Amino acid sequence: MPRWYPRLVSDAARDLLPLSRVLAGTVAGLLAPRRLFPITVVVVPLLSLQQTFSYDAMALPVGMLMCAAFLLVAPTLWRYFFPLHGARGPRWLGASVYGASGVLFMFGIGHGLPELIGMGSTLLTTFPGIVVSVALFWVGGWGLARDIDLEQHLLASQARAAALERFAEHAQLLALRSHFDPHFLFNTLNAIAEWCREDGRVAERAILALSSMLHTIMTAIRTTRWPLAKELELVDALFQMYLIRDPELFVYARDVEAGAAGGDVPPMILLPIAENAMKHGPGAGHRGGVALSVRADAATLVIDLVNPGAYRGPRDGGSGLPMVEQRLRLAYGDRASFAIGADGDDHHRTRATVRVPRTLEGRTP
């Protein structure tokens, strides 16, 4: 036995698995409706001509074998030797095997098989018909292989893009955790320290409220969606923390339409808006009411937050509200919007409005 024979057998066995995977991918690609329909449009008339202009009972089976070789063998071999990125081995070797396979299969089925079974001449088994079949094997197989590979590459790229979007949204959540106003947190802790000496019960309430709020924030970071009702509870907790520090700071009104809080939203999507309302409203010395409202129709949720204080436009270096816009784009594409400005004709109050679809689809981790 030659020395190279065991290595040749080993290499062939090793290549069977990827070749079988390529064949399975080719079959799946050929069965896709957008590809199966044009294939049927070409193959059925071709086989009808083969049957109509031939006088042998085996004409149709032989024609079907030639079409099967073209549809299955040609794109599978091209995809195996020439993947979308690079080539498997030397290109000249792959091209030689692919070219020789076209000649062998088409002449073997179109000439050798009819000779073997004593079949008469048919449309596809004449010399010109076989030459056309070889050309169809070469060119059509290459075209189908490229189309299947490009489609699979596109699907894989879309899946990676979706995964990156989910990763980006998680990164935004981590950024939001670090963005959560440290001044508010430190001021609250300092106030609690004072209350511990002056009013133990108020201090205890503040510690429990702050602990619950931070626990909720840590829980939110580990998911990409949660109920709007949970989001509203987090906003309520933020406002209550400010009111614990100063019960006369503002009056809070909450109006949620029945059934509007049942959908899912990205977690902590409203928290930067509420924090912004506090910082530039009551926190900046503007007295008055803070109003949160949620309305819904068949397809859209509309969330409004109004606070005292004139809207002064976007701040240089501000990251909270741009982060809201970015996260809305990640979660909903162009189906959501965020706007902030004067509250209608009242330029002494600011209104922030979030519009999102009632359903958050395809964003589960």
Side-chain angles (χ1 to χ4, degrees):
M1 178 184 298
R3 290 169 144 188
W4 49 265
Y5 185 76
R7 183 166 57 84
L8 180 63
V9 172
S10 174
D11 290 347
R14 187 185 65 241
D15 285 346
L16 282 178
L17 184 57
L19 183 58
S20 66
R21 288 175 179 168
V22 173
L23 176 60
T26 301
V27 172
L30 293 174
L31 293 177
R34 63 174 292 271
R35 203 169 286 111
L36 185 61
F37 178 74
I39 288 174
T40 304
V41 169
V42 172
V43 169
V44 170
L46 185 63
L47 293 178
S48 298
L49 290 173
Q50 168 76 346
Q51 176 71 17
T52 303
F53 292 99
S54 305
Y55 302 97
D56 194 289
M58 291 298 295
L60 184 60
V62 169
M64 293 174 67
L65 279 175
M66 296 177 75
C67 289
F70 153 63
L71 291 173
L72 289 175
V73 178
T76 298
L77 286 178
W78 186 273
R79 295 182 65 234
Y80 177 76
F81 285 112
F82 301 101
L84 195 58
H85 302 290
R88 194 185 300 272
R91 288 183 174 273
W92 66 267
L93 179 60
S96 300
V97 173
Y98 180 76
S101 298
V103 175
L104 289 174
F105 271 95
M106 293 300 105
F107 271 93
I109 299 173
H111 179 72
L113 181 59
E115 286 284 333
L116 183 64
I117 63 178
M119 190 180 85
S121 179
T122 68
L123 178 67
L124 293 179
T125 60
T126 61
F127 183 77
I130 293 175
V131 171
V132 170
S133 298
V134 171
L136 188 62
F137 184 101
W138 289 342
V139 178
W142 166 79
L144 282 172
R146 293 293 86 183
D147 187 52
I148 292 171
D149 279 343
L150 288 171
E151 182 181 57
Q152 292 184 353
H153 177 71
L154 176 62
L155 293 175
S157 298
Q158 290 173 338
R160 285 195 299 271
L164 287 174
E165 284 188 356
R166 291 193 295 271
F167 177 79
E169 184 172 357
H170 183 67
Q172 295 280 19
L173 284 172
L174 294 178
L176 182 57
R177 179 179 64 178
S178 62
H179 169 81
F180 181 64
D181 191 354
H183 298 293
F184 161 74
L185 183 60
F186 295 150
N187 289 340
T188 301
L189 290 174
N190 289 334
I192 290 174
E194 294 179 10
W195 294 336
C196 287
R197 292 190 297 268
E198 300 172 2
D199 192 333
R201 290 185 178 180
V202 172
E204 181 181 5
R205 280 176 46 219
I207 291 173
L208 292 176
L210 181 61
S211 174
S212 176
M213 187 176 179
L214 294 177
H215 175 75
T216 302
I217 290 174
M218 295 303 109
T219 301
I221 291 171
R222 293 191 290 269
T223 184
T224 58
R225 64 164 69 186
W226 69 355
L228 176 58
K230 196 75 173 174
E231 183 75 11
L232 297 178
E233 289 177 9
L234 185 58
V235 172
D236 290 346
L238 176 68
F239 291 159
Q240 292 304 320
M241 286 300 304
Y242 275 91
L243 290 173
I244 288 176
R245 286 166 48 194
D246 183 356
E248 306 299 325
L249 189 61
F250 63 95
V251 176
Y252 175 45
R254 185 178 190 260
D255 179 19
V256 180
E257 190 176 277
D264 287 347
V265 295
M268 295 193 292
I269 195 69
L270 300 181
L271 189 59
I273 302 173
E275 185 186 350
N276 184 77
M278 290 293 98
K279 182 182 296 184
H280 301 287
H286 300 290
R287 297 290 173 169
V290 174
L292 174 65
S293 68
V294 181
R295 307 185 309 278
D297 57 25
T300 307
L301 285 172
V302 181
I303 304 165
D304 284 313
L305 180 60
V306 180
N307 63 269
Y311 178 62
R312 303 298 184 185
R315 292 184 301 114
D316 292 337
S319 59
L321 299 186
M323 186 183 299
V324 171
E325 295 177 324
Q326 175 66 11
R327 292 192 60 220
L328 286 174
R329 281 194 295 270
L330 287 173
Y332 300 99
D334 59 359
R335 298 180 301 141
S337 66
F338 169 67
I340 184 170
D343 183 21
D345 295 331
D346 188 350
H347 295 281
H348 298 289
R349 294 175 63 79
T350 298
R351 176 181 293 270
T353 302
V354 176
R355 296 177 182 271
V356 297
R358 294 200 68 169
T359 55
L360 177 57
E361 299 175 352
R363 299 290 177 179
T364 53

